Amino acid sequence: MNLNEFYNSNNFSLEKITDTQWRQFRFFLPNSRFFKVPDTIRDSRVLKSWVLKKQPLDIYYSVARFLSPQTVGPASEKISDNLFLGADLAFDIDKQPFRVRNIEKARIQTLNLIGFLQEQKIPVKYIAFSGSKGFHVLCEDKFDY
């Protein structure tokens, strides 16, 4: 199955990612380059159209929210383009080098973190394997500013 078949045969769900219109999306392409999506991702239909067009190997989004997420970056000339609106609370738990026992250590640390977050009544949005050395834990920031 190639990427086009994969993306066409699977649904896109953005239910775990809140406020997508304020987030920057980037793709890692088969040519080993990054592509910043120059569009506002308001729903999964818009994201899927870009994914079908570019057929990325990986899809990333910012945990931070910006007024104009598609223009955020070092080349931005206006400070208003980089206006920060808030962010999710994100934890990146890695153990290097890549070894099974280190992944297990990262898994145990992740479980400990989740226990702590539950005690603090901080809602976990999702937990994901990072793809190499550990796990990402994303939470709603109940102290959002």
Side-chain angles (χ1 to χ4, degrees), residues 120-139:
Q120 301 303 311
K121 298 186 179 10
I122 298 173
V124 174
K125 290 170 76 170
Y126 66 84
I127 304 154
F129 181 61
S130 68
S132 61
K133 304 172 296 262
F135 300 89
H136 296 160
V137 179
L138 255 72
C139 306

Side-chain angles (χ1 to χ4, degrees), residues 40-92:
T40 301
I41 305 298
R42 296 191 184 283
D43 56 38
S44 54
R45 179 190 54 79
V46 175
L47 179 60
K48 188 167 186 172
S49 71
W50 277 103
V51 167
L52 290 172
K53 186 181 209 178
K54 294 295 185 177
Q55 299 192 13
L57 300 175
D58 296 308
I59 301 170
Y60 301 91
Y61 74 94
S62 63
V63 295
R65 298 181 307 277
F66 298 95
L67 183 62
S68 301
Q70 61 278 15
T71 60
V72 170
S76 179
E77 294 181 18
K78 296 187 304 187
I79 192 74
S80 62
D81 286 347
N82 290 317
L83 186 60
F84 177 73
L85 302 176
D88 294 330
L89 185 57
F91 298 90
D92 184 3

